[in-house]
Amino acid sequence: MQNLQTVALDDAAKEIVILDQTRLPNDRRMLRLSLPEQFYTAIRKLEVRGAPAIGVFAAYAIYLCACRADGTDRDGFYREFTKQKEYLASSRPTAVNLSWALERMDGVCKDHMSEPIPSILKALKEEAEKIHKEDEDACRQIGENALTLLKKGDGLLTHCNAGALATSGYGTATAAMYLGHERGYDFHIYCDETRPLLQGARLTAYELSAAGMDVMLECDNMVASLMSSGRINAVLVGCDRVAANGDTANKIGTSVVALAAKHYKIPFYVCGPMSSIDPSLASGADIPIEQRSAGEVTSMWYEQPMAPKDIKVYNPAFDVTDHSLITAIVTETGIFYPPYSF
Ligand code: MRU
């Protein structure tokens, strides 16, 4: 697979370097970010996106925010840390990895609060690097676990981008695809284009075809047709937040794919790290769903608007797939089957 360098820390320059995902597949532009407003905007605008990658990015971002607060007294330092943590956490509501990573960094900050500020900063940097490395390891293990559910020659459908671009390594939904490709499984991969932001077309089709896989792209409304043709043996998707009962928030359209898969008796697997599981929420009804701007539906990607001016638009960025539609949830610690107990 190509080295996509989704998120990296340049500690000497006190910058985070990301591959701007809004420009792919046509332009591989790297962004160097150093200011809290730039970190917020990068998440908000999906320059960095995908639940695990957002978590890794947020860990580095709060570390760099803390570096900027150096030189103040300890109380002032922690006040500024908390302010920036809350600011970053407010950038997108659905992926739990964002608040999970920020709270983990907050825990480290509190644990080292009696030490000089340079020691606190050292501990914060080490924790962010640990979160990054853990995500890379989790992706590989998710892939190993998911691969046990698949056979050589399978047709695999995925939605949105839960790939290398959305994580630090092999991706989550794509991890078994990458590992299978390395081991001669000859999978046939089908990517939903994923309206309205086209992560499937722009990102998943891009990264998997660049890795040399057999990839076919289809519009979201072609999924039932594809499944009825008998070409899909399993669906693998990522997740932004999994509630205690297994209800799963993922990119808008995921639940329609799950409903169709149920009808055609195709296994539907959710793949994600344990950091995407939020046992504090009893069910998907409690998961906050991000609403995005109308322009993503009416005019983005087109030379002219494709809907009447001022039309009302419904544009939730995520939906919740009911646990009853999910065959299993594949994490780095193992494969969970219903009834779920994480
Ligand atoms: O809005 P996005 O592009 O951040 O949404 C991403 C998804 O829904 C992914 O499927 C999810 O984050 C899983 S990432 C491994």
Side-chain angles (χ1 to χ4, degrees):
M1 71 187 281
Q2 53 175 339
N3 181 7
L4 289 166
Q5 207 192 26
T6 309
V7 179
L9 174 70
D10 180 345
D11 196 35
K14 293 284 176 274
E15 290 174 337
I16 309 178
V17 187
I18 58 169
L19 175 58
D20 181 353
Q21 299 197 34
T22 64
R23 300 290 188 114
L24 291 171
N26 300 316
D27 186 4
R28 278 190 69 142
R29 184 177 75 151
M30 304 308 289
L31 297 175
R32 302 188 74 90
L33 313 171
S34 58
L35 302 173
E37 300 71 32
Q38 293 176 324
F39 302 147
Y40 178 95
T41 304
I43 300 175
R44 184 77 213 138
K45 286 173 61 181
L46 276 60
E47 289 163 347
V48 60
R49 50 147 298 284
I54 291 172
V56 172
F57 179 84
Y60 285 135
I62 194 65
Y63 159 64
L64 292 185
C65 290
C67 291
R68 292 173 67 81
D70 193 7
T72 50
D73 63 276
R74 215 171 306 214
D75 286 347
F77 174 85
Y78 189 64
R79 249 196 324 277
E80 183 61 16
F81 180 92
T82 307
K83 187 176 130 201
Q84 298 301 346
K85 182 189 80 168
E86 286 166 5
Y87 174 57
L88 293 173
S90 68
S91 56
R92 291 190 81 188
T94 304
V96 70
N97 307 63
L98 174 59
S99 53
W100 169 86
L102 290 170
E103 287 312 319
R104 202 166 135 173
M105 296 293 282
D106 186 48
V108 167
C109 197
K110 282 189 190 126
D111 287 351
H112 290 78
M113 227 33 223
S114 59
E115 298 170 22
I117 290 177
S119 307
I120 306 175
L121 293 176
K122 182 169 173 288
L124 286 171
K125 180 183 162 210
E126 283 169 4
E127 189 68 7
E129 287 171 340
K130 202 163 153 214
I131 288 172
H132 196 167
K133 175 76 172 71
E134 281 174 13
D135 185 48
E136 207 176 310
D137 294 345
C139 287
R140 173 171 273 277
Q141 196 51 51
I142 288 167
E144 294 288 359
N145 293 342
L147 202 55
T148 65
L149 302 165
L150 308 173
K151 319 180 293 307
K152 287 192 171 180
D154 271 353
L156 306 176
L157 176 77
T158 190
H159 188 79
C160 193
N161 175 265
L165 288 162
T167 67
S168 317
Y170 278 50
T172 55
T174 59
M177 299 174 189
Y178 279 115
L179 286 178
H181 183 61
E182 288 169 9
R183 296 172 194 176
Y185 271 63
D186 291 326
F187 290 138
H188 306 287
I189 312 297
Y190 296 85
C191 299
D192 291 350
E193 70 171 350
T194 317
R195 282 278 294 161
L197 293 184
L198 309 183
Q199 290 94 329
R202 295 187 302 106
L203 307 177
T204 308
Y206 165 72
E207 64 165 88
L208 297 187
S209 59
M213 290 185 215
D214 173 42
V215 182
M216 187 172 275
L217 177 66
E218 69 285 333
C219 302
D220 303 344
N221 55 3
M222 297 167 189
V223 158
S225 159
L226 190 56
M227 288 180 177
S228 72
S229 75
R231 287 195 263 183
I232 306 298
N233 300 98
V235 180
L236 300 162
V237 297
C239 50
D240 288 84
R241 195 186 294 235
V242 179
N245 70 345
D247 289 351
T248 296
N250 193 50
K251 180 50 55 188
I252 191 71
T254 303
S255 65
V256 180
V257 179
L259 285 159
K262 182 91 168 175
H263 178 80
Y264 289 106
K265 301 188 173 38
I266 296 168
F268 183 93
Y269 300 118
V270 168
C271 304
M274 291 302 288
S275 56
S276 295
I277 291 171
D278 185 354
S280 74
L281 301 185
S283 81
D286 301 326
I287 299 177
I289 299 293
E290 177 183 7
Q291 303 289 325
R292 294 188 65 92
S293 73
E296 290 182 352
V297 176
T298 57
S299 50
M300 209 170 169
W301 317 116
Y302 300 109
E303 280 181 14
Q304 296 193 342
M306 294 301 287
K309 192 168 174 301
D310 298 331
I311 191 77
K312 288 191 286 180
V313 170
Y314 179 62
N315 186 19
F318 300 92
D319 60 20
V320 174
T321 299
D322 193 85
H323 60 278
S324 62
L325 302 172
I326 297 169
T327 310
I329 299 177
V330 185
T331 75
E332 71 275 29
T333 63
I335 303 175
F336 293 86
Y337 291 91
Y340 297 104
S341 131
F342 298 110

